[in-house]
Amino acid sequence: MQEKAKITLKALIPIVIGIGVFIWLFHDEISPDTWKLIKFTPHTVLAIILAWIFMLGRDFGLTWRFKTLTCGDLTWKQALKVDMMCEFTSAVTPTPVGGSAMGMVYLAHEGIDFGRAATLTLTTFFLDELFFTVACPVIMLLTPPGSMFSFSDTEFMEGVKFAFWTVYAGMVTITAALFIGIFIKPQGFRHALMWAFSCRLLSRWQPKIDKMTLNILATSDMLRHCSAGWWAKVFCATGLLWTSRFLVVNALFLGFAPDAPQAIVFCRQFVTWLVLVVSPTPGGSGVSEWLFTGYYGDLVGGMPGVALIIAVMWRVVSYYIYLLLGIFVLPSFLSKRKQPTIIKTGVCQEKSSPSSSLLSD
């Protein structure tokens, strides 16, 4: 009970920060007249339901990816728990930290060897970075010229544009480095870690690092030899989770601003998520609402109050819900820990389940 109280307190911190920043930024725009702009018709309610369905699609995609990456060593329930915990961590930590880094801990808790879990976490990070790296030129080709950064506030536009291209350049660099580290030169990664932990200050942990990096090499070898079908499922899951996440905003615009061009709404989500990578607040609290309202303001017919309400709805569906779920999931998640599974090396081959694989000799 005491542990749950501590978790609840930590979850309340980003909520308080988010609400505080939100009120500070938008106190002039929050009024009863703002809410009068919104009429909850059957069409609006259906759009909100659709937004929740898309968010469930995001969770299914990430759960499917965890299950596939572990070659079926996680059950669907375990993979869903890892998904929930990663999202909860993302919600309570600054965006640059995020929940991805804790994925290895959650995978290890469910019985995946820590070295293997570390490599699989790096792989999920690589897949996300690769998705954005590849999607950027596609998005730019599909979007009418100037529509990504075309709004009246020139200073705001230039700031968003600078942040976007800076983050994207860093993302391309990281994607290339991860590809080399996981698929081309994993031995170099091992040697770099062993060298770093050879100094007197860190030498006490060198035996554990040695074991972990050996597991990383084994898992890296497995990943390089996985079948094309296995990788196709992993890439499909990645595309599904990010596309579904973006479509949440499309659904809300359908309900509250149906005249907005849906293609531009979708493409701007791409920019929004990249800019939020450098947000200093837990889960992007406050910053997300500010960015969303300013960035989408020109698509709501000159009614910034509508953009503000859509931003609130978006954060409830895609952020605050994971804070609440984490409060209930984390205590049970920490109560039991499975023993690590044995690492098998070789090629991922299909099991009887259509969405999982087995490592065989």
Side-chain angles (χ1 to χ4, degrees), residues 136-151 157 161 165 261 263-264 267-268 295 298-299:
C136 181
V138 176
I139 291 291
M140 292 301 172
L141 287 173
L142 294 177
T143 308
S147 61
M148 295 288 277
F149 305 103
S150 60
F151 25 86
M157 178 189 70
K161 185 186 296 186
W165 288 115
I264 295 177
C267 292
R268 286 193 181 184
Y295 193 34
D298 63 324
L299 300 181

Side-chain angles (χ1 to χ4, degrees), residues 81 108-111 330-339:
K81 285 167 64 179
H109 187 276
E110 291 302 310
L330 187 56
S332 62
F333 185 87
L334 297 177
S335 61
K336 293 181 181 181
R337 178 174 178 172
K338 292 187 65 178
Q339 291 298 314

Side-chain angles (χ1 to χ4, degrees), residues 21 36 49 57 61 99 137-138 154 156 165-166 169 174 200 204 227 261 264 300 305 313 349 358:
V21 174
K36 289 179 182 178
I49 294 173
V138 176
T154 305
F156 178 80
W165 288 115
T166 301
I174 292 172
R200 179 180 297 182
R204 58 183 294 188
S227 66
I264 295 177
V300 292
M313 295 284 185
Q349 297 177 345
L358 176 66

Side-chain angles (χ1 to χ4, degrees), residues 2 12 23-24 27 36 59 89 137 162 171 244 283-284 318 331 341:
Q2 187 176 4
L12 287 175
I23 293 175
W24 177 61
H27 64 277
K36 289 179 182 178
D59 285 318
T89 307
F162 175 79
M171 196 165 281
S244 296
S318 64
T341 56

Side-chain angles (χ1 to χ4, degrees), residues 1-308:
M1 198 60 147
Q2 187 176 4
E3 183 182 28
K4 186 172 181 179
K6 291 180 179 178
I7 294 168
T8 303
L9 180 62
K10 290 182 179 179
L12 287 175
I13 293 174
I15 294 177
V16 172
I17 292 175
I19 294 175
V21 174
F22 180 80
I23 293 175
W24 177 61
L25 289 172
F26 303 111
H27 64 277
D28 291 334
E29 298 177 27
I30 300 174
S31 67
D33 292 335
T34 300
W35 293 99
K36 289 179 182 178
L37 297 172
I38 301 300
K39 295 181 180 179
F40 288 92
T41 64
H43 174 80
T44 305
V45 173
L46 183 61
I48 294 174
I49 294 173
L50 185 61
W52 283 102
I53 291 173
F54 282 133
M55 208 61 208
L56 290 175
R58 189 222 69 89
D59 285 318
F60 173 75
L62 191 52
T63 302
W64 180 24
R65 189 171 71 174
F66 277 127
K67 183 170 174 59
T68 304
L69 280 171
T70 57
C71 298
D73 288 333
L74 291 185
T75 64
W76 282 103
K77 182 179 179 180
Q78 288 176 305
L80 179 60
K81 285 167 64 179
V82 174
D83 163 37
M84 290 291 105
M85 292 315 306
C86 286
E87 286 300 313
F88 175 70
T89 307
S90 295
V92 297
T93 57
T95 309
V97 178
S100 299
M102 288 296 292
M104 66 183 78
V105 176
Y106 302 137
L107 286 169
H109 187 276
E110 291 302 310
I112 305 300
D113 183 274
F114 192 79
R116 182 184 177 197
T119 305
L120 294 179
T121 300
L122 281 175
T123 305
T124 63
F125 186 60
F126 166 74
L127 289 167
D128 290 335
E129 303 295 289
L130 181 62
F131 172 83
F132 278 95
T133 299
V134 174
C136 181
V138 176
I139 291 291
M140 292 301 172
L141 287 173
L142 294 177
T143 308
S147 61
M148 295 288 277
F149 305 103
S150 60
F151 25 86
S152 57
D153 191 336
T154 305
E155 185 177 348
F156 178 80
M157 178 189 70
E158 292 301 322
V160 171
K161 185 186 296 186
F162 175 79
F164 171 75
W165 288 115
T166 301
V167 172
Y168 181 71
M171 196 165 281
V172 171
T173 303
I174 292 172
T175 304
L178 287 173
F179 180 77
I180 294 171
I182 296 174
F183 301 102
I184 307 298
K185 293 288 185 181
Q187 284 283 1
F189 179 64
R190 167 176 159 77
H191 293 326
L193 278 179
M194 293 300 293
W195 176 80
F197 280 83
S198 63
C199 67
R200 179 180 297 182
L201 187 64
L202 302 176
S203 59
R204 58 183 294 188
W205 291 291
Q206 194 176 47
K208 292 183 178 180
I209 294 298
D210 180 53
K211 180 181 178 181
M212 185 188 79
T213 53
L214 286 175
N215 288 331
I216 287 176
L217 289 179
T219 309
S220 178
D221 180 68
M222 177 274 291
L223 291 173
R224 293 199 306 274
H225 293 89
C226 281
S227 66
W230 184 88
W231 278 109
K233 285 187 287 187
V234 170
F235 283 123
C236 284
T238 301
L240 173 63
L241 75 91
W242 282 109
T243 301
S244 296
R245 189 192 286 269
F246 291 172
L247 287 173
V248 169
V249 177
N250 283 84
L252 293 175
F253 265 87
L254 279 174
F256 296 99
D259 294 332
Q262 287 292 313
I264 295 177
V265 171
F266 180 85
C267 292
R268 286 193 181 184
Q269 268 292 283
F270 181 81
V271 175
T272 301
W273 279 103
L274 256 68
V275 174
L276 287 176
V277 166
V278 294
S279 171
T281 59
S285 301
V287 177
S288 299
E289 291 84 354
W290 168 77
L291 176 63
F292 188 99
T293 305
Y295 193 34
Y296 281 97
D298 63 324
L299 300 181
V300 292
M303 296 184 292
V306 174
L308 181 59

